[in-house]
Amino acid sequence: MARTNDDVAAVLEEYADLLAITGAEDFKIRVYQKASRSIGAYPADIADYDATALKQIPNVGESIAGKVAAYLRTGSMAKLEELRARIPAGVRALTRIPTLGPKRAMALHQSLGVDSPESLEAAIHAGALDDVPGFGPKSGENLLHGIALLRQAAERVHLGVAMPLAEDIVAALQKVHGCRRCGYAGSLRRMKDTIGDIDILATSNRPKALMSAFVALPQVTEVIVRGDKKTSVRTEQGLQVDLRVVPPAAWGAAMQYFTGAKAHNIRTREIAGHHKLKLSEYGLFDAGTDELVVSKTEEEVYRRLGLPWIPPPLREDTGEIEAALAGRLPDLVTENDVRGDLHTHTDLTDGLASLEEMAAAAAERGYAYYAVSDHGPDLFMQRMTLDKARSQRERLRELDETCPVRLLHGVELNIGPDGDVDWPADVLAEFDVCVASVHSHFDLPRDRTTRRLVRAAENPCVNVIGHPSARLIGRRPPIDADWEAVFEACARTGTALEVNAFPDRLDLAADLVRRARRQGVKFAVDSDAHAVGHLANLRYGIGAAQRGWLTADDVINTWPLDRLTAFLRKERTLTPA
């Protein structure tokens, strides 16, 4: 469910950015950034909190609590408004360009007078960046790519924004008298990484009442078009949401029609034609007589076409039709299959909850095992040391004696430019699980990036490559690697690839997951949780895994503990490539 916390977190993040633009001290900027993350990840809704209650949230001191309390009362933050007035809106827009931070944005504004992404784009094409200190030969190319990413992001939102919004709307409509069924379809039901609009279907014997309730929802800011069968609105997130009311008898056909990607639907209509049938959102009809054949459920629509029911995440025309015809559709992994999480963080590094709180939350989720994997020392800003790690391990072992979940002590290592990781083998052997990830040097040449990942996979102590492509959806493109070589190395060495469930990562992406699976690679679907509430993000990772055609057997954290433990020992003879 969408919460006030997200709005407040965005306000504090903007305040931190504006402080950076105006040259404030780094420590002050970090204070607001930490408070933003803490409030955004806080499990309870803070809508009714006063300053005293707000100070109970980690990283929220008296000054910030006062500002947030005032914002919650009035909808405004005086200090933020002062900074907004001082800094041109166009410069604030520049800060949203990936790879361009607040200070560099202000430098460009002062040097070139650019005050929008469009004027910056024109300046780059005119070669004006060549004379600006701190901007090298590749800066223009990188900024143009960042502007393109910004424009793409403006048109779509990631799954973690669209899903809670759709669930809130569906839940509200289901309470309307006369609503019989209601659910979301489209790219959201297919669990795509980003969503351009939301399709909601409903059946009702009172469609006008349902439409009236829809346009009156608090999330709605604009009614685009209103009718008895279809109404379109725009929400505060800028998303268009379409509600279609269909006859109860057409529910299955409508869900099939409005869920599949265009290419999938073309294939199913072609199959219908071969059977002398016509397929539409209202049903499957005899092509000669227009007599209705089936329409009530998706299962019977697919069955009449000679196909088994195809799970929504597969409906992209990426081979699912052929697999269905051949009886080879995978039995996709589900969230219920997951027995544990192998990549999470605590407040020892950049997490927001204690070891005890995270372990208790894992127990509440019913996990059989759970790994804490705070950052290693090479991510310097996290201030990790070996002594801290060993002290955490001692506390974890104490908790393990009484915790209903088997607690594993892990670490998230940093993969250096040459493939090295933070600690030597004798230190890494002390950990139960080692996740290794790329956190810097994202623009290395393809051959170096490939070798970097291959060397990490060949490290006998590395069990999982975390968020392998290092992408941030809409903000940072994936690193450039020869992925077939990386997949071969992972399959050869018994190194799992992560499907990171954080909604702005979903990394590996589904197309790469499919390719890696064909080479025999195993996977870990992890939350990368930095707070208790983040553990629930696992469902987004499962959606990405399903789009990658993964079964439970492909995912190591669905395995029983003894099988997982054997895999983590990585007792294989590794032959460096």
Side-chain angles (χ1 to χ4, degrees), residues 12-341:
L12 292 175
E13 187 66 31
E14 181 186 0
Y15 188 67
D17 286 345
L18 297 184
L19 285 174
I21 290 174
T22 56
E25 299 93 332
D26 287 344
F27 82 88
K28 188 173 183 180
I29 297 166
R30 285 196 297 270
V31 164
Y32 281 91
Q33 289 172 335
K34 287 181 178 180
S36 171
R37 290 195 297 269
S38 292
I39 289 175
Y42 194 63
D45 195 318
I46 66 169
D48 298 323
Y49 278 30
D50 60 14
T52 300
L54 288 165
K55 284 191 291 185
Q56 306 307 309
I57 301 173
N59 299 313
V60 177
E62 185 171 352
S63 175
I64 293 178
K67 290 184 177 70
V68 172
Y71 180 80
L72 292 174
R73 287 195 312 271
T74 67
S76 178
M77 186 182 293
K79 290 291 186 181
L80 176 61
E81 296 305 327
E82 289 176 14
L83 287 176
R84 283 173 172 171
R86 289 173 52 192
I87 301 167
V91 177
R92 300 202 302 270
L94 290 176
T95 65
R96 295 194 291 270
I97 298 174
T99 74
L100 182 65
K103 292 181 180 179
R104 281 159 56 87
M106 194 63 178
L108 287 173
H109 175 68
Q110 292 172 337
S111 301
L112 304 176
V114 296
D115 57 2
S116 68
E118 291 74 21
S119 63
L120 174 58
E121 186 175 30
I124 293 169
H125 288 307
L129 257 67
D130 296 345
D131 299 324
V132 181
F135 289 84
K138 290 199 66 177
S139 295
E141 180 183 336
N142 292 337
L143 287 172
L144 287 175
H145 187 64
I147 292 170
L149 287 175
L150 178 66
R151 288 172 178 157
Q152 292 172 12
E155 298 171 357
R156 304 180 71 83
V157 301
H158 62 61
L159 197 56
V161 173
M163 183 68 78
L165 173 63
E167 290 175 337
D168 284 354
I169 292 174
V170 168
L173 295 179
Q174 286 175 331
K175 296 176 183 177
V176 177
H177 179 65
C179 180
R180 297 182 180 181
R181 302 186 73 168
C182 187
Y184 54 80
S187 58
L188 182 59
R189 191 171 177 227
R190 300 199 310 275
M191 299 294 285
K192 285 204 69 172
D193 300 346
T194 60
I195 308 299
D197 52 50
I198 295 173
D199 294 299
I200 294 179
L201 301 183
T203 64
S204 174
N205 57 5
R206 302 174 69 241
K208 290 184 178 180
L210 195 61
M211 293 304 186
S212 294
F214 179 51
V215 299
L217 291 173
Q219 298 93 335
V220 174
T221 58
E222 176 189 356
V223 178
I224 301 170
V225 63
R226 179 171 178 174
D228 291 345
K229 294 183 178 179
K230 178 185 175 182
T231 293
S232 298
V233 302
R234 199 170 309 282
T235 71
E236 55 197 354
Q237 292 91 348
L239 268 178
Q240 179 172 321
V241 182
D242 299 329
L243 171 62
R244 293 177 174 84
V245 180
V246 301
W251 174 259
M255 286 298 285
Q256 192 280 330
Y257 184 88
F258 288 110
T259 293
K262 181 179 179 180
H264 176 88
N265 287 351
I266 289 172
R267 294 292 304 279
T268 55
R269 289 199 295 271
E270 287 174 349
I271 293 172
H274 294 153
H275 289 276
K276 301 189 184 312
L277 300 168
K278 293 189 300 184
L279 180 61
S280 75
E281 66 265 42
Y282 296 107
L284 194 59
F285 298 87
D286 185 288
T289 66
D290 284 336
E291 180 182 354
L292 178 65
V293 179
V294 292
S295 64
K296 289 185 178 180
T297 70
E298 285 188 312
E299 287 81 0
E300 65 184 12
V301 169
Y302 278 110
R303 189 182 309 118
R304 185 61 182 80
L305 294 174
L307 299 168
W309 180 79
I310 298 176
L314 300 187
R315 300 182 196 177
E316 299 282 356
D317 192 29
T318 53
E320 74 278 5
I321 298 293
E322 291 76 9
L325 289 169
R328 292 187 286 101
L329 278 177
D331 186 8
L332 296 179
V333 63
T334 70
E335 193 170 359
N336 288 336
D337 293 322
V338 175
R339 302 188 189 209
D341 199 328

Side-chain angles (χ1 to χ4, degrees), residues 477-520:
I479 55 179
D480 183 22
D482 178 350
W483 290 108
E484 296 303 323
V486 174
F487 300 154
E488 186 280 328
C490 289
R492 168 170 52 83
T493 61
T495 307
L497 289 172
E498 184 177 66
V499 179
N500 188 290
F502 234 83
D504 63 352
R505 287 191 184 274
L506 297 179
D507 183 12
L508 276 179
D511 59 330
L512 292 177
V513 170
R514 286 195 297 273
R515 288 165 56 186
R517 181 177 184 258
R518 286 196 289 268
Q519 290 214 33

